[in-house]
Each structure stands twice: as structure tokens, then as C-alpha cells.
């Protein structure tokens, strides 16, 4: 098979064609990390790499991978830090090692930090480079807890996450920032939210807010529900869409809060949506109330649809949202500030439209799938070239 020739900086790198990248991913529900993984595996074959994914046996991600004709291998991934998982660790490591030995990858890409300890043990002694991807804000103790300094390369989803990794002990020369990116060519040419609004019986003159995020406490939904009561006291014709699934206990808590606040008719739980763009299209304003957030791919998706954004000043979000140009930023956990920012934007339709246009332009300039893939493949090339030499 012919070799590939790539330029990295001023250097020409000759790499064997179609080397295998083994992606380690321990969940199969679809969220931001999974949607990005699907972008990787779709494009890597055209860039000289063969993707293989090892993950649990069933779930929406597995179906999507199989439909894309990507090789999928099965392995268990018990939560590494939970005491209840201790009895299952050895078998999980053994199964993952069997997959690694069978697939013989050139490089292992752990698609989130949770599975780094298991992967390090499974690949021990095989001489394979391990790339660890960190997609959330991270405190220094977690850097050592998840053994991130032992990875050959750590990919940070934002500069803020990169700083935290270096502060936690990962050598700076082994950390790179890789922003997420969107495939704007796959956006429907004409997309409207009228059908969804009609199904939900939302009138044309109602202002719709929404959040796309898995249902976990760190996503800030409880803060948003507190803010919503304040928002509706000034702007009664306001409703809120929650797009995502996750922790069932937390979802029950959210639904109970909605009932207690008398918001059942105006808060809509839409669950997991294969296509989030019709949901975003139905919104007048995208709200991202996260308490912690490594990057915020849903913020980019909203901006791609010309939506103004109100988001929290956490993690990599300020690297996406330009203050008062593409959106408004507030401190995480502050329901009053969140409500005030939302009302400020809702009450100024002209400003809303201007921020929406500026947001789309920012995505086109800085957060495309092509720039993301170039960064990813360049990192692979450099790492494999270093190992070869």
C-alpha cells in the first residue's frame, strides 16, 4: 500500500497508509463527545487513517457507527473510581487488552479521560502511543486520579482545560488544544422550528428559550429553572425547551421542581434528539447555564443557526462566545444574573438578530470540522513520527 506524505510545519512526514486508530469510548448514549467521535470516524479514512471503536455492546452510538460501516469492538467500561466497580476492573482490563492485541492499532485515542486508567493497564508493555482526550473542566486532583500525565499526548478541548492540565502535572509539551468543529455543509439549507413549535402548541408570539445538554447537575438546569420564574414575571410569554437525556434520578428531580413552580405548561422535556437542529431552530435564544463545561459544542450549534446565546463564564465557553457580540456571559450558578441577561437580550430584537449573525460568522471563521480534523490528524502524525524515530 502506498505511503502518505504530509507536511507538519516545515517538515515532510512519510507515514504508512491507513494505520489503525483505536478509539476507546465507554458510553453509548449520544452527547457532544459522541457526535464529535462520529465526525472523526467519518473523515479519518479519507485522511489516511482507519478508525476502529471499542465501546459497550449496545446503544445509539453503536447503531450510528454500524450504519457508517465503522468497525466496532465490544468491551465493558466500569466506572473506574467507584468502589462498586473494583471487582470488575481486572476482567475489563483483560477484555480491552484482547481487543488491542487483535486490532493492532498504531495509536490508541481515549475519547474522554474517564477510561484512561483502564486503557493504560490494558496497553501496558505494548509500546503503543496513547492519546487522552479531556473534554470537561478538570481540577488538579483529577489529573493525577485519572493518571493523565502517563498518556503520551493529552488533547484539551479548550485553552482553559489545557491550563488546568498543566497545573495538575501534565508536561506542557505533551498537551495540545483541539477545538471542536461543525460540518456546516451538513446543515439543512432551509430549517425552521415551526413544526416543533406547532407540536408543542407554542404560539407564534411566544419567546422560546432552550438548552441542549445531557441531564446532569453540572449542566446547570436547576439554576435555569430558578431563573425562568424571574424571566416569566417580566416576560410571561416565554417557554423553555430541555433537549437531552442522562441521569434518571436528576431528571425526576427537575420534573418535580417544574411541578412545584407551576411550570408544567411552559417547560418541555424533549429527551434525546437524533437531530438537534430542528430544536435549535425553534428557539429565539439559546441558553447554556452550565456550572462546569469543557467547551460547549451545543453553543456552537446554536450559533451556526444564527441564534444569540446567553451562557455561563466557565471552562472553554468564553473562548467561543464573544461578550456582547455573539452573546452574553454570566457567572455560573447565579440565577438572578442569568435571568437579567436573558431579559436584556429578549427585550432587544435588533440586538438579538445582530448577535445571531455574528455568531454564525464566528463559527465559519474559527470552528469548522475541517480545522478540527486538520488539528487531529496533525497531532496523530507528529506522535507516530516521534514514535517511529
Amino acid at each position: 500500500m502506498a505511503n502518505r506524505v504530509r507536511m507538519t510545519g516545515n517538515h515532510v512526514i512519510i507515514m504508512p497508509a491507513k494505520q489503525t486508530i483505536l478509539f476507546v469510548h465507554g458510553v453509548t448514549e449520544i452527547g457532544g463527545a459522541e457526535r464529535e467521535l462520529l465526525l472523526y470516524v467519518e473523515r479519518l479514512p479519507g485522511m489516511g487513517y482507519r478508525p476502529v471503536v471499542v465501546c459497550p455492546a449496545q446503544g445509539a452510538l453503536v447503531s450510528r457507527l454500524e450504519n457508517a460501516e465503522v468497525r466496532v469492538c465490544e468491551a465493558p467500561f466500569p466506572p473506574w473510581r467507584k468502589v462498586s466497580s473494583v471487582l470488575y476492573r481486572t476482567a475489563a482490563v483483560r477484555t480491552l487488552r484482547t481487543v488491542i492485541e487483535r486490532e493492532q492499532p498504531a495509536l490508541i485515542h481515549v475519547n474522554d479521560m474517564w477510561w484512561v486508567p483502564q486503557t493504560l493497564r490494558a496497553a501496558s508493555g505494548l509500546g503503543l502511543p496513547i492519546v487522552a482526550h479531556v473534554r470537561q473542566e478538570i481540577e488538579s486532583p483529577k489529573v493525577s486520579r485519572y493518571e493523565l500525565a502517563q498518556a503520551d499526548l493529552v488533547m484539551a478541548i479548550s485553552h482553559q482545560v489545557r491550563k488546568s492540565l498543566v497545573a495538575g502535572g501534565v508536561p506542557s509539551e505533551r498537551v495540545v488544544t483541539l477545538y471542536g468543529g461543525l460540518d456546516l455543509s451538513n446543515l439543512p439549507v432551509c430549517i425552521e422550528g415551526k413544526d416543533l413549535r406547532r407540536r408543542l402548541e407554542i404560539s407564534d408570539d411566544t419567546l422560546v428559550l432552550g438548552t441542549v445538554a445531557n441531564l446532569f447537575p453540572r449542566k446547570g438546569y436547576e439554576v435555569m429553572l430558578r431563573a425562568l420564574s424571574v424571566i416569566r414575571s417580566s416576560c410571561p410569554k416565554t417557554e423553555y425547551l430541555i433537549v437531552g437525556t442522562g441521569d434518571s434520578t436528576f431528571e425526576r428531580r427537575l420534573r418535580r421542581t417544574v411541578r412545584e413552580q407551576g411550570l408544567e405548561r411552559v417547560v418541555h422535556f424533549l429527551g434525546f434528539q437524533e437531530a438537534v437542529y430542528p430544536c435549535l431552530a425553534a428557539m429565539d435564544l439559546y441558553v447554556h447555564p452550565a456550572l462546569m463545561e469543557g467547551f460547549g459544542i451545543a453553543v456552537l450549534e446554536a450559533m451556526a443557526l444564527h441564534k444569540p446565546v446567553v451562557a455561563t463564564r466557565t471552562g472553554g465557553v468564553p473562548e467561543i462566545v464573544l461578550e456582547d457580540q455573539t452573546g452574553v456571559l454570566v457567572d455560573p450558578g447565579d440565577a438572578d444574573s442569568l435571568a437579567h441577561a436573558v431579559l436584556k437580550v429578549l427585550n432587544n430584537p435588533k440586538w438579538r438578530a445582530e448577535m445571531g449573525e455574528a455568531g454564525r460568522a464566528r463559527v465559519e471563521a474559527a470552528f469548522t470540522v475541517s480545522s478540527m480534523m486538520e488539528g487531529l490528524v496533525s497531532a496523530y502524525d507528529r506522535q507516530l513520527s516521534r514514535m517511529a524515530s
Side-chain angles (χ1 to χ4, degrees):
M1 189 176 291
N3 290 338
R4 292 184 298 127
V5 178
R6 289 187 60 84
M7 289 293 298
T8 299
N10 295 321
H11 303 286
V12 176
I13 299 176
I14 299 176
M15 308 290 292
K18 298 293 184 185
Q19 295 190 100
T20 296
I21 305 295
L22 181 66
F23 287 95
V24 175
H25 196 81
V27 298
T28 56
E29 293 177 348
I30 301 285
E34 293 73 31
R35 294 204 298 274
E36 195 163 281
L37 175 59
L38 290 166
L39 289 175
Y40 293 168
V41 300
E42 179 183 346
R43 286 161 177 77
L44 280 173
M47 304 179 80
Y49 285 105
R50 171 182 175 263
V52 175
V53 178
V54 55
C55 62
Q58 296 178 331
L61 177 63
V62 176
S63 299
R64 290 280 299 274
L65 290 168
E66 290 175 344
N67 288 340
E69 298 184 347
V70 175
R71 179 166 170 74
V72 179
C73 304
E74 178 184 347
F77 291 91
W80 195 259
R81 300 295 305 175
K82 289 189 177 180
V83 175
S84 59
S85 298
V86 170
L87 296 175
Y88 306 102
R89 285 182 183 175
T90 300
V93 168
R94 189 184 305 119
T95 302
L96 181 56
R97 187 178 182 93
T98 299
V99 172
I100 294 170
E101 291 177 335
R102 183 180 67 235
E103 299 301 320
Q104 298 186 11
L107 179 148
I108 300 173
H109 184 151
V110 188
N111 202 44
D112 214 333
M113 70 179 193
W114 316 115
W115 313 298
V116 170
Q118 180 176 336
T119 304
L120 288 169
R121 286 157 180 76
S124 177
L126 297 178
L128 295 172
I130 294 176
V131 174
H133 213 137
V134 179
R135 298 178 175 278
Q136 56 279 312
E137 284 193 88
I138 182 169
E139 305 89 351
S140 292
K142 281 190 176 180
V143 175
S144 58
R145 198 175 299 156
Y146 287 93
E147 305 171 18
L148 295 170
Q150 295 185 40
D152 297 280
L153 180 68
V154 183
M155 287 182 175
I157 196 70
S158 66
H159 291 313
Q160 181 58 46
V161 170
R162 184 186 187 280
K163 290 178 184 176
S164 299
L165 289 165
V166 173
V170 181
S172 60
E173 66 273 13
R174 297 217 308 266
V175 188
V176 298
T177 300
L178 182 68
Y179 283 140
L182 300 183
D183 183 4
L184 298 177
S185 68
N186 276 347
L187 279 179
V189 175
C190 181
I191 183 168
E192 295 183 347
K194 291 181 180 178
D195 288 344
L196 178 60
R197 292 174 70 119
R198 192 178 302 114
R199 288 204 308 272
L200 297 175
E201 299 181 350
I202 298 174
S203 64
D204 291 342
D205 60 344
T206 295
L207 293 168
V208 177
L209 316 174
T211 301
V212 178
N214 287 330
L215 300 185
F216 297 115
R218 66 177 180 272
K219 294 301 183 179
Y221 282 114
E222 291 171 303
V223 179
M224 180 56 196
L225 291 179
R226 293 201 302 272
L228 186 61
S229 295
V230 178
I231 293 164
R232 283 179 51 79
S233 66
S234 296
C235 188
K237 300 203 77 171
T238 304
E239 301 193 18
Y240 180 48
L241 310 183
I242 295 176
V243 185
T245 188
D247 185 333
S248 57
T249 300
F250 180 64
E251 180 175 349
R252 287 193 294 272
R253 192 164 87 202
L254 286 180
R255 289 181 180 273
R256 184 168 62 249
T257 299
V258 167
R259 289 194 300 272
E260 291 170 352
Q261 294 184 358
L263 298 171
E264 299 100 317
R265 293 179 178 272
V266 299
V267 176
H268 307 274
F269 288 84
L270 302 185
F272 168 74
Q273 297 292 318
E274 181 76 21
V276 298
Y277 287 115
C279 301
L280 291 167
M283 301 173 192
D284 296 286
L285 172 64
Y286 181 76
V287 185
H288 202 73
L291 304 178
M292 299 181 70
E293 186 67 82
F295 185 62
I297 195 71
V299 176
L300 284 186
E301 290 171 327
M303 289 164 58
L305 286 191
H306 305 265
K307 301 299 176 181
V309 172
V310 171
T312 45
R313 196 178 285 108
T314 183
V317 175
E319 297 171 40
I320 301 173
V321 179
L322 299 181
E323 184 78 63
D324 292 336
Q325 295 179 46
T326 67
V328 178
L329 295 172
V330 300
D331 290 336
D334 188 337
D336 289 337
S337 293
L338 184 63
H340 177 75
V342 168
L343 288 169
K344 179 181 175 182
V345 177
L346 289 183
N347 290 330
N348 193 332
K350 182 174 181 292
W351 193 34
R352 283 209 312 268
E354 290 171 350
M355 285 196 292
E357 292 302 314
R360 170 67 184 216
R362 177 149 175 77
V363 173
E364 291 176 347
F367 300 104
T368 62
V369 70
S370 59
S371 61
M372 176 183 72
M373 292 305 301
E374 282 296 326
L376 179 71
V377 170
S378 293
Y380 289 165
D381 287 350
R382 288 193 302 270
Q383 193 61 45
L384 290 173
S385 178
R386 190 176 299 125
M387 295 292 292
S389 62

